[in-house]
């Protein structure tokens, strides 16, 4: 079937492999349908993942190296993480550049620039800034291709670095970055003194606080938000000049779970509303709602278009979406093409 892009395409400029090394030919490898969708031609050279290589009738437990149990009572799905040794899911992803109308499924994230007066003042003065990233594996950088553990073309930085790179280019400020994120962790880990005290020790101007992907498997919204409130309070009580952007996570693959008959996606979609209530009580803190944007993206695109692993890690494309949500939250209308 034809592939739906995020917007109905009016004209295709280029279709390339995810690493940008291969450029495919219109009319030979693909065509644009009248509905603005991309059709891969059967006799072309674009690699396609066959369904029987994506879904397995029986689950073989190899420590989540190649398969993960289905959320159904039987079956399993492919796990293919992007690493130095393997392109992972990006083997079957395409980078499509195209012209389109303005109509699309994604609503512009809210302008919350007013919540970051100290950051904006320093940026506009061109002063040096320190940013601390405090999150799980996504904010550690998985599986952006510039990550040291991946290090493969096209070498796209992880989302927080993309955002900081943009701010440096726009304002001329030098932004030091300290990444204290740790893969596999939750907001409960982040709320422990031994961990958040390292954030405070850096005395940052901006904290990118981003948990929820791992929490959302088992932690209800009330407890998750209580943990985030504690982290925010403890950081700001020790670093009163620090401002914080709380980044919600993309959604995981709802077709899979760590055990048969369970799903990775349980509480994630309830977090933004609960965080919005907390946001009303905060000063110098705002929520960058990636969850809402990813939810809207998935009304047109497949989850597989946004993942490096087919489970819960973003690919380069989704890291760029994260970065845009963060920048729109920080800058509002000040976020525009350079």
């Amino acid at each position: 079937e034809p592939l739906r892009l995020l917007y109905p395409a009016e004209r295709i400029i280029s279709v390339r492999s995810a690493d940008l090394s291969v450029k495919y030919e219109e009319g030979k490898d693909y065509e644009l349908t009248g509905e603005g969708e991309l059709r891969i031609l059967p006799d072309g050279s674009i690699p396609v993942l066959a369904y029987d290589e994506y879904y397995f009738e029986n689950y073989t437990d190899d420590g989540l190296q190649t398969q993960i149990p289905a959320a159904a009572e039987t079956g399993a799905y492919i796990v293919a993480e992007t690493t130095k040794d393997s392109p992972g899911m990006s083997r079957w992803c395409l980078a499509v550049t195209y012209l389109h109308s303005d109509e699309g499924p994604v609503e512009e994230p809210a302008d919350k620039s007013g919540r970051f007066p100290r950051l904006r003042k320093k940026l506009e003065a061109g002063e040096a800034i320190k940013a601390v990233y405090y999150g799980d594996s996504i904010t550690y950088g998985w599986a952006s291709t510039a990550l040291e553990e991946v290090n493969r073309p096209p070498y796209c930085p992880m989302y927080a670095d993309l955002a900081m790179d943009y701010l440096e280019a726009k304002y001329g400020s030098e932004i030091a970055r300290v990444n204290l994120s740790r893969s596999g962790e939750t907001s409960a880990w982040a709320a422990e003194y031994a961990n958040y005290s390292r954030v405070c020790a850096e005395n940052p101007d901006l904290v990118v606080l981003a948990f929820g992907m791992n929490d959302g498997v088992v932690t209800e919204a009330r407890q998750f938000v209580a943990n985030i409130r504690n982290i925010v309070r403890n950081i700001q009580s020790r670093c009163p000049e620090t401002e914080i952007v709380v980044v919600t996570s993309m959604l995981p693959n709802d077709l899979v779970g760590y055990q048969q008959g369970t799903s990775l996606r349980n509480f994630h979609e309830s977090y933004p509303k609960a965080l919005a209530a907390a946001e009303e009580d905060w000063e110098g803190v705002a929520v960058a709602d990636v969850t809402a944007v990813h939810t809207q993206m998935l009304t047109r695109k497949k989850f597989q278009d946004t993942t490096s692993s087919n489970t819960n890690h973003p690919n380069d494309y989704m890291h760029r979406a994260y970065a845009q949500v963060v920048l729109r939250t920080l800058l509002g209308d000040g976020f525009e093409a350079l």
Side-chain angles (χ1 to χ4, degrees):
E1 295 180 355
L3 304 174
R4 291 202 298 178
L5 306 171
L6 188 58
Y7 301 89
E10 295 180 345
R11 181 167 71 86
I12 300 290
I13 296 173
S14 73
V15 176
R16 294 180 178 270
S17 57
D19 64 5
L20 307 182
S21 66
V22 180
K23 184 176 181 180
Y24 298 107
E25 295 183 33
E26 188 167 8
K28 177 181 178 182
D29 299 310
Y30 68 90
E31 64 183 11
L32 180 64
T33 72
E35 290 74 35
E37 299 174 349
L38 186 76
R39 178 181 285 117
I40 296 175
L41 299 178
D43 296 328
S45 57
I46 294 177
V48 176
L49 176 62
Y51 190 71
D52 62 3
E53 296 175 334
Y54 177 73
Y55 173 77
F56 309 95
E57 293 289 345
N58 299 296
Y59 171 51
T60 301
D61 187 354
D62 62 358
L64 302 180
Q65 295 300 303
T66 64
Q67 294 184 19
I68 187 169
E73 294 299 326
T74 60
Y77 291 88
I78 191 174
V79 172
E81 181 61 279
T82 303
T83 66
K84 283 183 179 178
D85 300 323
S86 170
M89 291 300 292
S90 68
R91 184 193 310 273
W92 302 285
C93 285
L94 299 172
V96 185
T97 304
Y98 60 101
L99 300 179
H100 61 83
S101 69
D102 291 335
E103 295 182 5
V106 179
E107 297 178 5
E108 196 168 47
D111 176 353
K112 301 179 181 179
S113 57
R115 289 180 172 267
F116 302 95
R118 290 185 288 273
L119 177 69
R120 289 294 298 274
K121 184 178 180 180
K122 282 197 166 188
L123 286 171
E124 290 169 358
E127 297 179 20
I129 288 169
K130 178 181 278 190
V132 169
Y133 310 158
Y134 193 39
D136 53 29
S137 58
I138 295 174
T139 306
Y140 178 78
W142 280 105
S144 60
T145 51
L147 184 71
E148 182 179 357
E149 291 89 337
V150 178
N151 193 34
R152 62 170 48 246
Y155 306 106
C156 177
M158 54 83 70
Y159 78 90
D161 278 339
L162 283 171
M164 297 306 110
D165 289 348
Y166 177 94
L167 294 177
E168 284 188 333
K170 181 177 177 67
Y171 294 100
S173 296
E174 181 178 342
I175 303 180
R177 304 104 185 262
V178 178
N179 196 336
L180 300 178
S181 304
R182 197 161 93 175
S183 296
E185 293 299 351
T186 66
S187 60
W189 170 86
E192 296 176 5
Y193 173 76
N195 300 314
Y196 72 73
S197 63
R198 296 171 61 206
V199 177
C200 301
E202 296 292 339
N203 196 28
D205 297 290
L206 178 69
V207 171
V208 179
L209 177 61
F211 290 89
M213 177 57 79
N214 300 319
D215 295 83
V217 180
V218 295
T219 306
E220 294 185 0
R222 172 185 282 185
Q223 184 59 56
F224 174 72
V225 173
N227 292 342
I228 297 298
R229 281 183 179 272
N230 284 337
I231 298 164
V232 168
R233 180 176 62 253
N234 287 323
I235 291 175
Q236 288 195 320
S237 66
R238 290 161 176 79
C239 304
E241 298 297 306
T242 297
E243 294 169 336
I244 303 172
V245 57
V246 178
V247 183
T248 68
S249 76
M250 63 182 280
L251 297 171
N253 189 346
D254 64 351
L255 295 177
V256 305
Y258 291 128
Q259 297 178 345
Q260 202 81 62
T262 65
S263 176
L264 294 183
R265 190 187 304 179
N266 290 309
F267 299 106
H268 302 81
E269 288 158 296
S270 64
Y271 289 172
K273 182 177 180 180
L275 285 170
E279 186 180 51
E280 295 179 1
D281 301 329
W282 288 329
E283 292 184 7
V285 184
V287 177
D289 193 354
V290 173
T291 310
V293 168
H294 194 218
T295 301
Q296 293 160 7
M297 292 171 70
L298 294 180
T299 63
R300 283 195 57 87
K301 299 185 68 63
K302 297 177 182 179
F303 174 81
Q304 292 75 20
D305 296 336
T306 64
T307 181
S308 66
S309 61
N310 199 40
T311 54
N312 58 5
H313 286 157
N315 57 14
D316 283 345
Y317 173 74
M318 195 62 208
H319 270 284
R320 290 164 68 188
Y322 262 84
Q324 291 179 69
V325 176
V326 169
L327 287 167
R328 171 68 186 176
T329 303
L330 293 176
L331 302 182
D333 292 336
F335 172 42
E336 56 191 8
L338 294 177

